[in-house]
Amino acid sequence: MDKTLDKIDLFGREFNFRINNKPRHTTNCSKLFTIIFIIICMAIYFFNFKQFLKRNKHLKIQWINKLDEEGDQPININSRNFHISFKLEYFDSTEKKWKTYENKKEFDEKYTLEAQETIRNSSKNEIKIITNSFNLTKCDELQNSNNYFLNEINHNFDINNHYCFDIKNSTLKGNYGDNEWSYIEINFGFNQTYFDNENRQKLKNEFNNNKIRASLFLSDIDYDVSNLNNPIIKKVDSIAYSYAHWEIIDKTDIFYEKLSFGSDVSAFITKVNFTEHLKYVKSDKIYEPVRNNDTFTSKEDLELVRFYIRPLMM
């Protein structure tokens, strides 16, 4: 009973005893273990702090959204975020397979290839059309320069026997019927001199049998959800191809949209870095009759294939 009261006594006094006026008695052994303990604690602290700083490599907040918060937005394209190249193929009846048209001198003698930005402004009285042409350039220069999209793709891409364009700053905007809209068009057709001098029946037979194929290679992106550091995969794909016919023009509308990729990479605060990318969405084909007779009446009579690159509008 007395021991229990001693423990709960609130008014008792405590005594502190000192040895040589020191409240603690130490030894060399205790000092050594104290140093070891502090070193272990510091090592554990710095290890965990380092893991905290590097946590963004293992866990990031990421999302990819279509940029439509303020309605349909124009798409700005240039050589850094977009690529256009063209390849012509023919069907080898002997080997029964498609081959690339490699003779570029012969290509220039027979055909024409043009790419341009077209801007259409409509008013009550007139329609004003402005065109900005893209120059053909050597494809290997695009792969070896940081100023071009082709230099940043994440896969091997054989650019041999392609016709590449140096893209000027352009805008994809609007849709059919808008007062102002702009798009890119790529036209492939006959060289007029060759068309006038060649045997027409021979041309008809060659093109009516689907033996000429025009392929358009454009930039695109994919997502790699397993790659937290760089999930955006830039690539170049054969987005569209068309067979060159004698009696029709194969016209293809190719639609792109602008996407925003964001990732929160800060270890301490919410700081999201955004990058914008262009993604292919879909394509539609239209066939228009031409060359119903053997006479040349307009430039359109020389065309074989036409591609349009437009923004996807909702």
Side-chain angles (χ1 to χ4, degrees), residues 5-259:
L5 291 175
D6 289 340
K7 291 180 179 180
I8 64 175
D9 188 353
L10 299 178
F11 302 99
R13 285 186 172 274
E14 294 184 1
F15 293 93
N16 293 322
F17 294 95
R18 295 172 178 264
I19 300 176
N20 296 329
N21 202 28
K22 294 181 180 180
R24 179 181 300 169
H25 179 69
T26 62
T27 63
N28 292 334
C29 183
S30 66
K31 294 176 183 178
L32 176 62
F33 277 104
T34 299
I35 295 173
I36 294 174
F37 178 76
I38 293 174
I39 292 174
I40 293 174
C41 290
M42 292 181 65
I44 294 174
Y45 172 79
F46 284 111
F47 175 79
N48 286 278
F49 185 71
K50 184 179 179 181
Q51 292 296 105
F52 173 77
L53 293 178
K54 292 185 176 182
R55 84 188 198 284
N56 62 304
K57 290 187 176 182
H58 308 287
L59 178 62
K60 290 184 180 180
I61 301 173
Q62 299 178 339
W63 61 91
I64 298 176
N65 292 323
K66 180 183 176 184
L67 292 182
D68 56 0
E69 292 83 357
E70 300 179 2
D72 294 320
Q73 300 290 315
I75 297 176
N76 298 317
I77 70 169
N78 51 59
S79 60
R80 291 294 303 271
N81 66 0
F82 207 75
H83 170 81
I84 302 174
S85 61
F86 179 92
K87 184 170 72 171
L88 186 65
E89 298 172 296
Y90 67 96
F91 187 75
D92 191 321
S93 302
T94 303
E95 299 185 20
K96 303 295 182 182
K97 66 178 183 179
W98 288 94
K99 290 187 175 181
T100 304
Y101 205 103
E102 299 181 2
N103 191 331
K104 293 193 175 184
K105 181 179 179 181
E106 184 181 353
F107 179 96
D108 293 335
E109 292 176 353
K110 291 183 176 181
Y111 308 110
T112 61
L113 179 62
E114 300 174 343
Q116 64 185 27
E117 177 194 24
T118 300
I119 304 170
R120 301 173 67 97
N121 293 303
S122 303
S123 64
K124 293 181 179 180
N125 300 324
E126 62 177 350
I127 299 177
K128 186 177 181 181
I129 300 177
I130 303 172
T131 59
N132 299 313
S133 299
F134 301 158
N135 297 324
L136 284 166
T137 187
K138 294 181 180 179
C139 296
D140 55 355
E141 292 182 0
L142 306 186
Q143 287 184 314
N144 300 323
S145 173
N146 294 329
N147 295 324
Y148 295 97
F149 179 89
L150 199 60
N151 182 257
E152 300 179 2
I153 63 175
N154 303 95
H155 65 101
N156 294 325
F157 178 65
D158 185 7
I159 202 69
N160 291 329
N161 303 313
H162 280 231
Y163 288 81
C164 297
F165 291 95
D166 189 356
I167 302 173
K168 298 178 181 178
N169 293 335
S170 305
T171 302
L172 307 180
K173 180 181 180 181
N175 207 341
Y176 294 102
D178 292 348
N179 292 332
E180 181 180 353
W181 53 301
S182 59
Y183 51 87
I184 291 174
E185 58 179 297
I186 299 97
N187 299 320
F188 167 68
F190 288 114
N191 181 301
Q192 185 172 350
T193 303
Y194 172 75
F195 183 80
D196 291 338
N197 297 332
E198 188 67 18
N199 182 284
R200 299 296 170 82
Q201 189 59 45
K202 179 182 177 182
L203 287 177
K204 287 182 181 180
N205 294 336
E206 184 177 4
F207 284 90
N208 282 337
N209 293 328
N210 290 339
K211 292 186 176 181
I212 302 294
R213 183 169 67 187
S215 298
L216 190 67
F217 291 77
L218 301 174
S219 52
D220 197 11
I221 61 169
D222 270 338
Y223 320 126
D224 182 4
V225 295
S226 64
N227 188 341
L228 296 179
N229 291 322
N230 187 23
I232 300 296
I233 301 174
K234 297 181 179 180
K235 63 179 183 176
V236 173
D237 271 347
S238 176
I239 298 297
Y241 67 89
S242 298
Y243 295 101
H245 301 277
W246 176 260
E247 296 179 348
I248 61 173
I249 299 178
D250 190 336
K251 297 183 178 181
T252 305
D253 285 323
I254 302 168
F255 296 93
Y256 271 78
E257 67 180 0
K258 184 164 57 175
L259 301 179

